[in-house]
């Protein structure tokens, strides 16, 4: 949870893998990933997760495809686990808990204390290259009249620059979209580097007008702490499957 968002009236949270019923390998809180788990397990895990929030909330999720589409949820009646393809969910309605699913990608939660609008964003390297965080802020402005200087953002647990190695294709994509993108890379070998997606998304937030003192970054690497978080890059390779975390934001 980001305490600063909570203090402004936004229920929010970043899940861990602890305290569920899924076999990853056991007692794991898998909150999505129906191909690797049962619907019954996921439903029970979500019930446990939602029980941690004060108030009655309905999850609003989308079918994530590593794109830059933002799904608008106008009311609690529209808060469902949707098959609409989108990688961010925004709303201004009470009772809606906008969420994104991750297992190494960067989750970003955004709240506007003035308009009471909010958004959850899924920013893997593809979404980061497509500036999905900046597009979500633009959408909040166009739809709810949000001013970036009023916004607050929490960047959640994700694969960090200590362990997230990428290849030349990703380096080239960053270079073609961001001036000075080399600052996000630490070279490891020819054509390979560690990438800092936390910093890239932080800089996108400040470039759109968010104040640096209103951006909060969780100090956790999902790859380094795969005992506490799901990590696609570590577990899919080793075990052939992994669960999903949820990062959510809403208001009563």
């Amino acid at each position: 949870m980001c305490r600063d968002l909570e203090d402004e009236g936004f229920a929010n949270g970043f899940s861990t893998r602890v305290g569920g019923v899924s076999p990853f390998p056991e007692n794991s809180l898998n909150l999505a990933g129906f191909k690797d788990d049962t619907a019954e397990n996921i439903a029970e895990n979500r019930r446990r997760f939602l029980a941690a929030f004060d108030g009655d909330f309905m999850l609003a999720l989308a079918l994530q495809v590593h794109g830059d589409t933002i799904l608008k949820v106008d009311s609690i009646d529209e808060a469902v686990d949707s098959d609409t393809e989108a990688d961010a969910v925004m709303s201004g309605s009470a009772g809606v808990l906008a969420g994104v699913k991750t297992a190494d990608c960067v989750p970003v939660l955004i709240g506007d204390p003035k308009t009471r609008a909010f958004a959850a964003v899924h920013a893997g390297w593809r979404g980061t290259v497509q500036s999905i965080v900046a597009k979500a802020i633009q959408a909040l402005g166009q739809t709810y009249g949000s001013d970036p200087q009023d916004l607050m953002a929490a960047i959640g647990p994700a694969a960090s620059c200590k362990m997230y190695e990428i290849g030349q294709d990703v380096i080239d994509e960053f270079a073609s979209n961001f001036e000075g993108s080399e600052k996000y890379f630490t070279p490891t070998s020819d054509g390979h580097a560690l990438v800092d997606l936390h910093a890239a998304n932080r800089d996108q937030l400040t470039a759109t007008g968010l104040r640096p003192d209103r951006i909060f970054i969780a100090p956790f690497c999902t790859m380094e702490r795969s005992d506490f978080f799901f990590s696609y890059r570590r577990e899919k390779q080793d075990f052939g499957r992994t669960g999903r975390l949820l990062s959510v934001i809403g208001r009563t």
Side-chain angles (χ1 to χ4, degrees):
M1 177 186 70
C2 174
R3 177 64 65 185
D4 292 85
L5 278 171
E6 185 83 9
D7 289 345
E8 290 291 347
F10 291 101
N12 72 95
F14 301 97
S15 75
T16 70
R17 70 184 302 157
V18 178
V21 298
S22 297
F24 292 96
E26 60 183 4
N27 302 327
S28 289
L29 194 74
N30 176 39
L31 296 169
F34 289 91
K35 291 182 180 179
D36 292 332
D37 203 353
T38 68
E40 292 77 14
N41 285 348
I42 293 172
E44 171 59 18
N45 290 337
R46 288 183 178 181
R47 185 195 67 77
R48 295 184 183 193
F49 179 64
L50 290 172
F53 296 90
D54 293 329
D56 295 324
F57 287 100
M58 295 294 292
L59 280 172
L61 306 173
L63 179 60
Q64 296 172 192
V65 293
H66 296 277
D68 62 353
T69 300
I70 294 94
L71 173 66
K72 180 166 70 77
V73 177
D74 288 317
S75 70
I76 195 169
D77 293 333
E78 296 180 12
V80 297
D81 192 349
S82 174
D83 60 2
T84 300
E85 293 185 353
D87 284 85
V89 179
M90 69 177 184
S91 182
S93 298
V96 174
L97 204 58
V100 289
K101 299 159 277 190
T102 63
D104 283 335
C105 293
V106 179
V108 184
L109 305 180
I110 305 168
D112 184 346
K114 286 195 174 180
T115 68
R116 312 301 295 152
F118 51 91
V121 183
H122 165 245
W125 74 260
R126 291 180 179 84
T128 303
V129 165
Q130 295 175 77
S131 300
I132 188 171
V133 165
K135 291 173 181 175
I137 291 170
Q138 182 181 34
L140 286 169
Q142 292 173 341
T143 306
Y144 304 105
S146 295
D147 183 335
Q149 292 195 3
D150 296 328
L151 299 179
M152 306 173 67
I155 301 175
S160 76
C161 59
K162 293 185 289 185
M163 300 193 71
Y164 190 6
E165 187 175 39
I166 46 77
Q168 191 64 50
D169 57 336
V170 179
I171 295 171
D172 292 343
E173 288 282 348
F174 268 78
S176 65
N177 285 275
F178 301 113
E179 183 177 353
S181 63
E182 62 275 3
K183 66 184 175 182
Y184 302 124
F185 300 109
T186 301
T188 54
S189 61
D190 187 32
H192 291 80
L194 299 171
V195 60
D196 191 344
L197 292 184
H198 280 106
N201 282 282
R202 177 204 62 210
D203 290 351
Q204 283 189 30
L205 290 167
T206 57
T208 63
L210 265 76
R211 290 163 36 193
D213 64 338
R214 294 170 74 85
I215 300 171
F216 309 94
I217 303 176
F220 299 109
C221 171
T222 50
M223 292 181 68
E224 183 179 46
R225 291 300 310 273
S226 58
D227 60 322
F228 204 54
F229 303 102
F230 294 114
S231 172
Y232 182 91
R233 289 176 70 89
R234 295 199 67 172
E235 297 174 84
K236 198 73 173 180
Q237 176 179 324
D238 294 339
F239 308 115
R241 63 176 186 164
T242 190
R244 295 295 186 277
L245 309 164
L246 278 184
S247 301
V248 298
I249 184 169
R251 66 176 181 83
T252 55

